[in-house]
Amino acid sequence: MHKVPLPIAPDHPAFAGHFPGQPLLPGVSLLAAVLEAVLDVPALASQIGHAPRIGAAKFLAPVRPGAQLVITLDASPRGVRFEVREGQRIVASGQFEALS
């Protein structure tokens, strides 16, 4: 299991226009950060290959500017599972599929 801190800057460019007055980190930005974390661990990166596919993703809570997130990554026979938390709250979870 790997844990990776992911602080979300209050001025992250993804907040621009998403949404005025109620900024939320888009799910695609969060998934990109998770994928970068997976690729930083050679054993996990080799499990999903250079054309990774998302087998499942759930977005359970909004991510606001200044959030202090932690990504947990865990290898499984089916791929690489991930969970993103802000404190005790799960904000996203899912899995990148293993190479076939």
Side-chain angles (χ1 to χ4, degrees), residues 9-84:
D11 61 348
H12 191 293
F15 291 123
H18 200 265
F19 296 98
Q22 291 292 323
L24 298 173
L25 187 69
V28 67
S29 297
L30 187 56
L31 285 176
V34 172
L35 178 57
E36 286 182 32
V38 171
L39 296 176
D40 284 345
V41 180
L44 298 179
S46 68
Q47 193 168 1
I48 64 169
H50 52 271
R53 293 175 21 162
I54 297 172
K58 292 182 182 180
F59 301 97
L60 304 166
V63 176
R64 305 269 184 206
Q68 298 298 311
L69 306 177
V70 175
I71 302 169
T72 302
L73 304 170
D74 198 15
S76 78
R78 299 177 70 195
V80 176
R81 292 184 304 228
F82 66 86
E83 185 175 88
V84 182

